[in-house]
Amino acid sequence: MKPIQVGLLGIGTVGSGTFNVLKRNQEEIKRRAGRGIEISMVADLDVARARAVVGPDVQVVDDARAVIQNPEIDIVVELIGGYGIAKALVLEAIAAGKHVVTANKALLAVHGTEIFAAASAKGVMVAFEAAVAGGIPIIKALREGLTANRIEWIAGIINGTTNFILSEMRDKGLDFDVVLKEAQRLGYAEADPTFDIEGVDAAHKATIMCAIAFGIPVQFDKAHVEGITQLAAADIRYAEQLGYRIKLLGITKRNHKGIELRVHPSLVPTKRLIANVEGAMNAVVVHGDAVGTTLYYGKGAGSEPTASAVIADLVDITRLHTVDPLNRVPHLAFQPDRMSDLPVLPMSEVVTSYYLRLRVADEAGVLAQVTGIVANAGISIDAVLQREADEVGGEGSTQTDLIILTHETREGTMNDAMAQLQGLPTVLAPITRIRKEELN
Ligand code: HSE
């Protein structure tokens, strides 16, 4: 049988990885897919670079629409990224009856509802394993492997850049700005790292996992997004002393009122495996009611790890494209007419525990005032750590750091308590609040 024909839109890092892995492992992949998979056309603005990657036998053009309109092409792989032209091209490819593979988390997190609806109407597949956690097959695991479960929560290190920065901050005791510059010099962080360090990239990925886990539409606009730019080396050190590491987690969770969807730095007990995921690696923990807690670990970015996910999608489509569209695995795991309207909750309704660091006057009664406010708010304290004033502010200092770990409470309750604490004349600086996840 003639190989299924694939057209790439963009042949940068992931595209060239896809071309190379497909070529290197073609026999093995064909034995699995039941049919050859051939990249026969590539569109890239840099035609010379594309030609250098694919050699003389693949048609190279500078116009993506030439790929989409080519009747010989069965699957279009979108590797352009972003919400702009990529959205128009994906919708045009669907309208032209092509199956689509994309690594574009931003596009799906923001416009997924429109894109999946268009694909369903046209009877084509949109596959996106590479959009979340690169080479880790987390979409496959959530959508198929864990399909028996009522998923309770997911927590993931799903941005390698920020995990690299946090690992360096902890290892070397350095502040965020210093490590970011070093990460940029080494190529671990982009020249404009905003999407990574502000948590936006992780929130795109968490949004997609949330939709698949709970069978709700993708709702990036409802995600709480907080990055790592405000983290101080002191908090990483104090967390360590209390038995925790600080990680940027993408979290989605059921609580009794709805669905939590949030990205923010979190204290995680050092004894959890995920707390020991270092450098640019990714890891996702999924808790299902039947299976319990499962952990997926691997490279979340890079040429061949991401290509591994793109090609897995190509194999799926090759196997399934002749199947009645109604019998394929639904895009978001649940049948489109059985999606839930569970709300994504505002942050004030999130339930979690907390690390608070207060810079206080080192004088009699301060600890009692602070713990009194926390207790009156109905928040239970788990642990308190107070440093020697000399250690914090130098010889003869009259200030010290008071660290409080709490048990779970509503974020709205914590906001009220923090406002009262901040009003105390003995609290001398803005309070640092970091959420804490036990993940047990
Ligand atoms: N920039 C991402 C990261 C990889 O640092 O993990 C692509 O999503």
Side-chain angles (χ1 to χ4, degrees), residues 141-190:
L142 285 171
R143 205 160 57 175
E144 298 177 52
L146 299 175
T147 199
N149 289 265
R150 179 182 155 92
I151 301 216
E152 302 293 351
W153 55 262
I154 300 174
I157 295 172
I158 43 181
N159 183 271
T161 305
T162 45
N163 202 53
F164 173 82
I165 293 173
L166 292 176
S167 296
E168 289 288 292
M169 286 175 73
R170 186 178 70 82
D171 274 358
K172 301 185 177 155
L174 297 172
D175 273 318
F176 170 78
D177 294 338
V178 179
V179 177
L180 174 61
K181 286 205 182 75
E182 180 68 357
Q184 283 173 311
R185 200 182 59 77
L186 294 171
Y188 281 102
E190 313 233 0

Side-chain angles (χ1 to χ4, degrees), residues 224 226 260 262 264 346-354 379 408-418 433-435:
H224 172 85
E226 213 176 297
E260 300 179 4
R262 48 195 170 99
H264 50 70
M347 204 52 196
S348 57
E349 293 299 336
V350 158
V351 177
T352 187
S353 48
Y354 295 86
I379 300 169
E408 283 191 342
T409 187
R410 256 183 72 252
E411 177 117 348
T413 308
M414 177 52 79
N415 290 343
D416 294 344
M418 279 179 67
R433 174 241 308 263
I434 307 175
R435 299 170 188 93

Side-chain angles (χ1 to χ4, degrees), residues 231-249:
L231 274 182
D235 294 310
I236 294 179
R237 200 173 59 244
Y238 289 143
E240 195 85 355
Q241 290 167 9
L242 288 157
Y244 292 85
R245 298 230 167 119
I246 299 181
K247 295 290 180 189
L248 183 72
L249 292 185

Side-chain angles (χ1 to χ4, degrees), residues 105 158-161 196 201 205 282 300-301:
K105 60 230 73 171
I158 43 181
N159 183 271
T161 305
D196 291 319
D201 175 74
K205 296 166 183 167
N282 280 200

